[in-house]
């Protein structure tokens, strides 16, 4: 009895000693943290439990109060709670990302009731935020009366299922939210097909089934009838096969539409009309700038991804050179790769252009992040070699210090306001200067019977001077090599 008691005491002493060592190690780990590193990573210093807690982000609620706004948005789709995982950067970066998610949710037609963010080294592999925080999120959902949780990131199928099992309401991720917005705003046949393809790509690995969805159909033997050997397909396997067939059909349709757009692009190239693509973050004011430059009449709305379908409009520089302006789809941080792939044919307009006007919202809290996000997508579509002008829009509402910082960092940049017209004349002059110029300078005396050559010089080249003489039109111009060859017979002998 005594020996048994003494062995138990020895085990207790060993456990307490081990616990003491573990506690000392944890304390030393906390002490070892550098204050400089902590301030950069965490902002204010908290205890270990507070550092990993769900932190509320204030000012995200979009509950409607104005009567006219309530009447305008009669259909209330969802009441949502936002949740984000903060892995890198500062607390402000994490809150800006969640604020952008709130703007996306509002654009989709949802009411944002609350938003929380958690500090973690990486998202939890099972429930995105960890099992304990998932229970806390369940309490927030019950307290606010929400019916949907939106996660600021792309969740795996397993994470979606596990988090839904805990919070007991529908869970969607950032990718599904952006796809829903695209589905609402796509108007053209090509835009709808691209969105449908991206949605099916996203849906395919996330199909779920239960009950009869997992029961097997009869197998198919060689002779039919009673020949039913083999396990056959489950209902969910049949659904996946049908989705793959639809995706293949959709890709063929998009490829056919792409051919039509390439023919139009080649026609513009044949006539040597330069192309300028307007690219930029969503809601940076691309459509407003297009309307200001060309009077296109494109839909302008203070909403994310208000316009999806590319718009091509004809424009003219102050010196009289013709070019086309292409308004492309807006970009966003962490743009789903499904969308980049589906909209690749549309985004090729950027890669095929002669000049990119990169529009950035000067009034945004983090315009540098917008620039980086857009350039990442431009790099993905292989348009890094195209010259770029950074247009800092909304200069009338931007902080002057922010404008000065951006103009100093971006060497080829200009501040404008599409709403007031500030800086538009300077932008047009800059476009005229940056557009590629015809390579051949020529002086020709064109007979009046060949007036078409003079007209081509105006449309395809750059006319320096034009003088009408008795023998014909004395033309000095910069033209392409093809037109120079057509004008060669009319070059005066003294000019040769």
């Amino acid at each position: 009895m005594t020996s048994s008691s003494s062995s138990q005491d020895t085990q207790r002493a060993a456990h307490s000693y081990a616990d003491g060592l573990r506690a000392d190690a944890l304390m030393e780990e906390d002490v070892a943290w550098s204050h400089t590193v902590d301030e950069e990573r965490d902002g204010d210093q908290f205890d270990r439990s507070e550092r990993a807690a769900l932190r509320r982000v204030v000012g995200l609620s979009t509950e409607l109060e104005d009567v006219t706004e309530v009447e305008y948005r009669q259909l209330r789709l969802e009441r949502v709670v936002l949740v984000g995982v903060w892995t890198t950067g500062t607390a402000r970066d994490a809150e800006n990302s969640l604020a952008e998610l709130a703007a996306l949710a509002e654009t989709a037609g949802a009411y944002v009731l609350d938003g929380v963010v958690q500090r973690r080294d990486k998202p939890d592999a099972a429930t995105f935020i960890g099992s304990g925080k998932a229970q806390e999120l369940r309490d927030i959902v019950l307290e606010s009366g929400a019916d949907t949780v939106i996660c600021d990131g792309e969740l795996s199928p397993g994470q979606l299922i596990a988090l839904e099992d805990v919070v007991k309401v529908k869970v969607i991720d950032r990718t599904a939210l952006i796809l829903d917005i695209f589905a609402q705003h796509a108007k053209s046949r090509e835009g709808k097909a691209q969105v449908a393809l991206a949605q099916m790509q996203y849906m395919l690995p996330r199909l779920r089934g239960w009950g009869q969805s997992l029961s097997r159909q009869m197998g198919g033997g060689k002779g039919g009838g009673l020949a039913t050997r083999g396990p056959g397909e489950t209902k969910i396997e049949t659904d996946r096969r049908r989705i793959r067939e639809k995706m293949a059909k959709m890709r063929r349709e998009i490829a056919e539409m792409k051919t039509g757009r390439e023919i139009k692009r080649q026609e513009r190239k044949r006539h040597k009309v330069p192309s300028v693509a307007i690219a930029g973050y969503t809601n940076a004011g691309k459509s407003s700038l297009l309307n200001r430059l060309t009077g296109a009449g494109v839909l302008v709305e203070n909403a994310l991804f208000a316009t999806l379908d590319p718009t091509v409009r004809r424009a003219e520089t102050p010196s009289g050179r013709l070019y086309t302006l292409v308004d492309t789809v807006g970009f966003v941080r962490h743009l789903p790769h499904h969308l980049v792939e589906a909209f690749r044919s549309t985004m090729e307009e950027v890669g095929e252009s002669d000049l990119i006007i990169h529009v950035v919202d000067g009034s945004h809290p983090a315009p540098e992040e917008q620039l980086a996000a857009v350039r990442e997508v431009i790099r993905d579509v292989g348009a890094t070699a195209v010259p770029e002008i950074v247009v800092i829009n909304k200069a009338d509402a931007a902080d002057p210090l922010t404008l000065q910082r951006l103009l100093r960092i971006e060497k080829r940049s200009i501040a404008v306001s599409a709403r007031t017209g500030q800086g538009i004349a300077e932008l047009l002059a800059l476009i005229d200067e940056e557009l590629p110029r015809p390579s051949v300078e020529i002086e020709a005396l064109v007979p009046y019977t060949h007036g078409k050559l003079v007209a081509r010089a105006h449309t395809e080249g750059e006319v320096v001077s034009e003088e009408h003489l008795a023998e014909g039109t004395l033309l000095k111009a910069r033209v392409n090599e093809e037109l120079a060859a057509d004008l060669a017979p009319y070059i005066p002998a003294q000019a040769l």
Side-chain angles (χ1 to χ4, degrees):
M1 185 73 177
T2 306
S3 62
S4 173
S5 146
S6 63
S7 64
Q8 289 178 358
D9 292 340
T10 304
Q11 290 178 357
R12 287 196 198 97
H15 282 303
S16 63
Y17 179 71
D19 291 342
L21 287 177
R22 182 174 178 276
D24 291 340
L26 290 175
M27 291 176 65
E28 288 172 3
E29 181 185 348
D30 284 342
V31 172
W33 275 64
S34 163
H35 288 288
T36 304
V37 174
D38 279 354
E39 288 174 2
E40 290 179 356
R41 292 182 59 184
D42 291 334
D44 297 333
Q45 296 304 294
F46 301 109
D47 292 338
R48 181 178 298 276
S49 59
E50 292 180 352
R51 190 183 303 148
L54 291 175
R55 297 175 54 247
R56 273 210 164 84
V57 179
V58 298
L60 294 182
S61 175
T62 58
E63 191 71 48
L64 300 180
E65 296 179 358
D66 182 59
V67 175
T68 57
E69 193 176 359
V70 173
E71 290 175 350
Y72 177 70
R73 287 170 53 187
Q74 292 178 357
L75 180 61
R76 189 181 73 183
L77 297 180
E78 311 280 352
R79 296 170 62 86
V80 302
V81 170
L82 311 179
V83 57
V85 171
W86 164 27
T87 56
T88 58
T90 63
R92 184 178 178 184
D93 294 335
E95 293 183 1
N96 285 342
S97 181
L98 211 64
E100 182 178 273
L101 187 68
L104 287 167
E106 187 178 4
T107 301
Y111 293 153
V112 178
L113 302 177
D114 208 344
V116 293
V117 63
Q118 186 202 8
R119 182 74 172 93
R120 293 179 67 96
D121 291 334
K122 60 181 180 179
D124 182 67
T127 59
F128 187 65
I129 56 175
S131 56
K133 295 300 180 288
Q135 291 290 347
E136 293 181 32
L137 181 61
R138 169 63 179 163
D139 296 337
I140 294 172
V141 168
L142 288 174
E143 177 188 346
S144 60
D147 49 30
T148 303
V149 170
I150 304 179
C151 297
D152 191 13
E154 184 167 345
L155 273 61
S156 67
Q159 287 174 322
L160 280 171
I161 295 171
L163 193 56
E164 277 188 357
D165 288 343
V166 177
V167 299
K168 307 300 182 186
V169 295
K170 182 172 72 174
V171 177
I172 64 173
D173 58 12
R174 184 188 184 95
T175 302
L177 180 62
I178 293 175
L179 287 171
D180 181 75
I181 296 172
F182 271 55
Q184 291 181 44
H185 291 177
K187 296 292 186 292
S188 69
R189 180 167 168 258
E190 184 174 11
K192 291 178 180 178
Q194 289 169 328
V195 172
L197 175 61
Q199 284 180 320
M200 284 187 283
Q201 286 177 318
Y202 175 80
M203 186 195 313
L204 186 60
R206 291 169 174 80
L207 283 180
R208 284 184 269 171
W210 55 277
Q212 290 189 351
S213 296
L214 298 177
S215 64
R216 294 193 181 274
Q217 303 177 38
M218 290 194 300
K222 288 191 297 184
L226 297 177
T228 57
R229 290 184 297 273
E233 286 182 310
T234 62
K235 177 69 165 58
I236 197 168
E237 288 171 342
T238 306
D239 292 342
R240 286 180 180 143
R241 177 165 52 80
R242 287 175 177 168
I243 288 178
R244 289 191 188 98
E245 291 172 355
K246 286 183 179 179
M247 287 170 60
K249 180 182 177 183
M250 206 69 69
R251 286 194 180 99
R252 288 194 297 270
E253 291 181 0
I254 292 174
E256 292 172 1
M257 299 176 201
K258 177 184 176 182
T259 303
R261 192 170 53 254
E262 283 180 346
I263 291 173
K264 293 178 183 177
R265 191 186 302 141
Q266 289 170 2
E267 187 73 11
R268 293 197 297 267
K269 285 185 176 181
R270 190 172 66 83
H271 290 293
K272 309 300 180 185
V273 179
S275 174
V276 178
I278 301 178
Y281 213 76
T282 180
N283 209 31
K286 299 184 298 301
S287 297
S288 300
L289 185 63
L290 179 68
N291 289 343
R292 173 66 68 171
L293 292 174
T294 66
V298 177
L299 170 68
V300 173
E301 188 177 346
N302 185 22
L304 278 64
F305 300 114
T307 51
L308 290 183
D309 304 317
T311 304
V312 181
R313 289 292 182 270
R314 186 169 173 156
E316 189 174 324
T317 64
S319 64
R321 299 176 63 197
L322 293 176
Y323 65 98
T324 58
L325 268 173
V326 184
D327 183 18
T328 60
V329 63
F331 303 146
V332 72
R333 274 182 299 187
H334 313 304
L335 190 66
H337 64 276
H338 308 295
L339 280 175
V340 175
E341 186 63 34
F343 278 80
R344 184 170 294 276
S345 58
T346 303
M347 292 176 181
E348 282 174 0
E349 294 286 354
V350 178
E352 296 290 337
S353 62
D354 298 296
L355 179 66
I356 296 175
I357 295 181
H358 185 166
V359 184
V360 60
D361 183 357
S363 63
H364 192 271
E368 290 88 354
E369 292 182 10
Q370 290 192 351
L371 286 166
V374 174
R375 282 172 176 157
E376 183 180 349
V377 180
I378 289 176
R379 186 167 57 249
D380 289 343
V381 298
T384 52
V386 182
E388 176 191 60
I389 297 175
V390 175
V391 176
I392 307 165
N393 195 21
K394 306 182 184 180
D396 55 324
D399 180 15
L401 294 178
T402 302
L403 287 179
Q404 291 176 11
R405 185 178 75 247
L406 290 173
L407 290 171
R408 184 178 64 253
I409 295 173
E410 299 294 337
K411 302 304 180 186
R412 299 170 61 181
S413 60
I414 184 172
V416 306
S417 172
R419 187 176 67 87
T420 64
Q422 170 190 344
I424 296 298
E426 292 82 354
L427 174 60
L428 286 170
L430 188 57
I431 293 173
D432 195 2
E433 180 183 335
E434 293 291 337
L435 279 176
R437 295 182 177 276
S439 56
V440 182
E441 291 189 14
I442 196 168
E443 180 178 347
L445 183 61
V446 183
Y448 290 119
T449 54
H450 292 76
K452 287 184 178 180
L453 292 175
V454 178
R456 283 180 60 191
H458 280 280
T459 56
E460 300 176 20
E462 184 178 354
V463 176
V464 178
S465 66
E466 185 178 1
E467 186 179 356
H468 298 287
L469 305 178
E471 300 84 0
T473 304
L474 182 61
L475 191 70
K476 293 182 180 180
R478 295 188 187 93
V479 297
N480 55 65
E481 294 179 357
E482 181 183 348
L483 183 54
D486 293 339
L487 288 169
Y490 309 108
I491 299 177
Q494 63 269 22
L496 293 174

